[in-house]
Amino acid sequence: MRIDERIERHYAELSPQEQKAADTLLDRLGDLATYNAAELARLSGVSKATMSRLFRRLGFEDFNEVKEHTRSIRSGGMPLGPQSSDGGLAAHLGQEQENLRRLAESFDEDKLSAASSTLASAGTVLLLGFRNSYPVALHLRQQLLQCRKGVAVAPQPGQSLGEELAGLGSGDAVVLFGFRRRPAEFRKVLQAASATGAATILIGDPSARRLAADATNWLECPVDGAHAFDSYAAAMSLVSVLANGVLVVLGRAGRERVRAVAGLFDSLGEIEAR
C-alpha cells in the first residue's frame, strides 16, 4: 500500500501532532529524498520522536525506508514532484539530456537495425499504444506512412483489440509501446500479438524489461522526468531514428513514396506553401 493510502487509512487515528507530520509528508512526497527526518520534523512543527513514531505507525522502520518507498512509487510512473518549481526548465533540460545520453550509451545498434528491417519488410504494421504511450505510437505511424503503406495504430477510440490482431500472421509486425503505468493486461496483449505469428517489437522504459522475453525485439528507452511527470522526448527521438532506419532499408521504394505523398500534399493544398 502506498504511503498516501496508509496515511488516509490511519489519519483519523493519529494524534494532532502526528496529523501535522503526516500532512507534511503528503505535501513533500515528491522530494522527500532532499530532507532528513529532523528537517521534516522542524517543517511540521513536531518533535523528531513524533515523526519517528508516525513512520512506525505507517508500517516503516525508519525514514530511509520511507524515502526508498517514495522512490519506488515515482519509478513506477506516479506523478510525484517537488513542492517548488524552482529551476523548472533548467532541471527539465538536464534530465532530457541525461535520458538521451542513457539511450545512446545503452542502445544496441544491431537491434535497432533488425527492428528497422522488420518494419520495412512487414506486410502489415500494427502499432499498439495505451495511455501515455498512444501519442508515441501515433507519431511513429505518421512517419512510417510517409515511406510505406499498411500501417495502423490501435486501440482506436471506443474499439477493442481483437479485430485488430485477427488476421495478422507471419510476415506482419506489431510494435507495442509499453511505457510505465501500463494497463494491467499489457502482458496478455503482448502474448496475444506474439501468438499470431507476427514479429513483435516492444519499446518501453526499464520497467518493461520483465516483458522483453515475450517479444521478438526489445528496445529500451528512459522516460524519467525532472519533476512530477514523465517525459517522452527520448521516446520521440527513438521513434524518429527507427523510422529513418525504415526509410533507409526501403531505399528507392521508400523515397518514391515520400515523393508521392509530397505530391498529394501539394495537389490537395494540405500543407502550407514554403
Side-chain angles (χ1 to χ4, degrees), residues 103-121 140 143-144 175 177 200-203 216-221 234-250:
L103 177 64
E105 289 184 355
S106 65
F107 216 74
D108 187 327
E109 290 291 343
D110 290 337
K111 292 172 69 175
L112 178 62
S113 178
S116 296
S117 296
T118 296
L119 296 180
S121 62
L140 180 56
Q143 294 190 319
L144 289 182
V175 182
F177 291 90
T200 51
I201 300 170
L202 174 62
I203 300 176
T216 308
N217 200 340
W218 156 242
L219 303 178
E220 184 173 314
C221 180
M236 290 297 194
S237 293
L238 172 56
V239 159
S240 179
V241 172
L242 182 58
N244 186 72
V246 173
L247 178 58
V248 170
V249 173
L250 289 171

Side-chain angles (χ1 to χ4, degrees), residues 103-252:
L103 177 64
E105 289 184 355
S106 65
F107 216 74
D108 187 327
E109 290 291 343
D110 290 337
K111 292 172 69 175
L112 178 62
S113 178
S116 296
S117 296
T118 296
L119 296 180
S121 62
T124 296
V125 174
L126 178 63
L127 311 174
L128 295 180
F130 302 91
R131 308 186 75 249
N132 287 351
S133 296
Y134 192 73
V136 187
L138 280 176
H139 187 53
L140 180 56
R141 176 183 180 273
Q142 175 64 23
Q143 294 190 319
L144 289 182
L145 276 177
Q146 295 181 70
C147 62
R148 60 150 296 154
K149 62 180 181 179
V151 183
V153 65
Q156 292 295 321
Q159 298 298 307
S160 53
L161 289 177
E163 60 266 39
E164 302 286 356
L165 294 174
L168 293 178
S170 177
D172 297 321
V174 182
V175 182
L176 300 99
F177 291 90
F179 293 108
R180 59 197 184 188
R181 305 197 93 184
R182 298 173 291 275
E185 298 299 319
F186 185 86
R187 182 189 287 275
K188 185 179 293 185
V189 173
L190 171 56
Q191 292 172 338
S194 297
T196 66
T200 51
I201 300 170
L202 174 62
I203 300 176
D205 65 281
S207 72
R209 283 179 195 154
R210 58 189 177 83
L211 305 173
D214 292 318
T216 308
N217 200 340
W218 156 242
L219 303 178
E220 184 173 314
C221 180
V223 292
D224 297 323
H227 301 107
F229 296 99
D230 287 343
S231 174
Y232 293 84
M236 290 297 194
S237 293
L238 172 56
V239 159
S240 179
V241 172
L242 182 58
N244 186 72
V246 173
L247 178 58
V248 170
V249 173
L250 289 171
R252 176 178 293 179

Side-chain angles (χ1 to χ4, degrees), residues 37-56:
E39 288 171 331
L40 283 174
R42 187 180 69 253
L43 288 169
S44 305
V46 303
S47 68
K48 186 177 178 180
T50 297
M51 186 64 72
S52 297
R53 187 165 58 251
L54 174 63
F55 297 153
R56 291 192 296 272

